[in-house]
Amino acid sequence: MNITMIGLGPMGQAMARAYLAAGHPVTVWNRTASRADELVAAGATRAATPAEAVAAGPLVLLSLTHYAAMYEILGDVGDALAGKVVVNLSSDTPQASRDAAAWLAERGAELLVGGIMVPAEVVGTDGAYVFYSGPRSVLETHEPALRVIGRPDYRGTDPALAQLFYQALVHVFVTTLAAFVQGAALLGTAGVTAREYAPLADELVELARSSFGEVARNIDAGDHPDDGASAQMMAVGVDHIAGAVAAVGQDTALPAAVKSLYDRMVTAGYGKDSWTRMIDVIRSA
Ligand code: NDP
């Protein structure tokens, strides 16, 4: 089956290469046409227009910076979308995915929303997986083809779901990385190298990871008994982190954001509860 790949950033290129390697005919289109050159040399067909790319087969994959690019690219393809399955693997808000499903439905196409959870070099390997949401039957029909880029992890009919899972998990990823960099900057003021600090941070992230199960149990039960890490106790520690960063004149945005969550817990009278009460102040922003 032909695969149409629109959007040839690092991710789109990796996906197109995975399909070529799996023996699929691949049709490509990209706004900057030269980004298709290597893929065409490797056997892909270059479509002259988005309409020609869409017409090439039943499955149209999009890998774009945001959903706005989808409207720019597919806005003028006329009837070409009728009967197609569009798999949009671009990041955006959950509502953008819902709106796109309605927009495509008006043109006779079905949308599968994809949230691809690995970097380009992992696409198409055993370690790759992709959240999907949208019509289950569409995913089931195309599962063998979609499996080429990564294991499908179907999350439900609402188009927003794959995007929600993607954003929630990427948030964990980027915030953890930002906290790691902040620690490196703070220690750097004392001449400590990031290399010396990295294995220690590694161990601490492992400790945080091992507590996710217990934190999740408290959140789901709506019950936050103090198990030795009360909101009040943690608030004091977080205050010290913010103070340490401010004292060396570095960017306080991240510690200040965390401090604000703890301060709100204490102000709300949750100080004696476990810090997992944070879920309530986050929910009530
Ligand atoms: P980029 O976000 O850099 O860009 C992807 C493509 O979007 C390019 O082909 C670009 O075209 C196209 N594009 C952007 N704006 C427009 C527009 N207005 N009209 C037409 N085309 C447009 O690429 P990535 O491959 O890094 O990421 C693709 C998606 O995958 C993103 O949503 C990203 O968040 C997500 N993702 C990325 C990961 C990564 O490691 N890179 C990991 C997991 C998910 P042009 O070449 O002409 O600029």
Side-chain angles (χ1 to χ4, degrees):
M1 182 177 64
N2 183 84
I3 302 293
T4 292
M5 188 75 235
I6 293 178
L8 299 174
M11 297 300 280
Q13 299 225 9
M15 289 186 246
R17 275 195 301 275
Y19 281 111
L20 288 171
H24 283 269
V26 176
T27 302
V28 291
W29 185 88
N30 195 61
R31 177 180 62 179
T32 308
S34 59
R35 283 182 110 172
D37 292 352
E38 281 182 25
L39 291 164
V40 171
T45 301
R46 189 196 310 266
T49 62
E52 194 179 305
V54 169
L59 203 55
V60 178
L61 272 58
L62 307 179
S63 178
L64 302 163
T65 308
H66 39 50
Y67 272 53
M70 179 192 82
Y71 298 109
E72 285 190 34
I73 294 167
L74 299 182
D76 295 331
V77 303
D79 294 339
L81 281 168
K84 304 295 178 181
V85 168
V86 174
V87 184
N88 196 334
L89 296 139
S90 315
S91 165
D92 211 308
T93 62
Q95 188 56 41
S97 291
R98 286 199 186 109
D99 294 345
W103 187 84
L104 287 164
E106 284 167 14
R107 287 154 182 79
E110 291 183 285
L111 174 68
L112 270 183
V113 177
I116 183 154
M117 294 306 298
V118 292
E121 61 272 20
V122 184
V123 168
T125 69
D126 288 349
Y129 72 106
V130 186
F131 291 125
Y132 286 105
S133 55
R136 180 187 283 275
S137 60
V138 173
L139 178 76
E140 284 171 357
T141 302
H142 294 289
E143 178 158 353
L146 294 174
R147 197 165 275 285
V148 169
I149 54 173
R151 176 176 54 81
D153 184 339
Y154 180 71
R155 290 288 154 179
T157 309
D158 179 351
L161 281 165
Q163 204 66 256
L164 272 173
F165 274 91
Y166 176 84
Q167 302 305 347
L169 286 158
V170 173
H171 175 64
V172 172
F173 186 66
V174 297
T175 308
T176 303
L177 292 180
F180 174 76
V181 172
Q182 182 110 52
L186 186 60
L187 281 168
T189 62
V192 179
T193 63
R195 194 181 285 267
E196 180 181 345
Y197 148 73
L200 301 168
D202 201 29
E203 217 172 294
L204 210 76
V205 168
E206 180 57 33
L207 182 67
R209 204 172 68 80
S210 71
S211 73
F212 283 172
E214 201 183 324
V215 174
R217 273 193 301 279
N218 284 7
I219 290 172
D220 288 344
D223 188 25
H224 304 276
D226 178 8
D227 55 358
S230 70
Q232 174 65 54
M233 183 275 280
M234 296 281 278
V236 174
V238 167
D239 195 39
H240 295 160
I241 298 166
V245 171
V248 293
Q250 294 183 341
D251 192 296
T252 54
L254 187 57
V258 178
K259 177 173 152 43
S260 135
L261 293 172
Y262 280 93
D263 287 349
R264 286 181 56 214
M265 277 192 278
V266 173
T267 305
Y270 300 148
K272 291 194 165 63
D273 293 348
S274 162
W275 70 269
T276 59
R277 262 284 198 177
M278 185 186 289
I279 189 75
D280 290 338
V281 297
I282 284 180
R283 280 175 175 153
S284 70

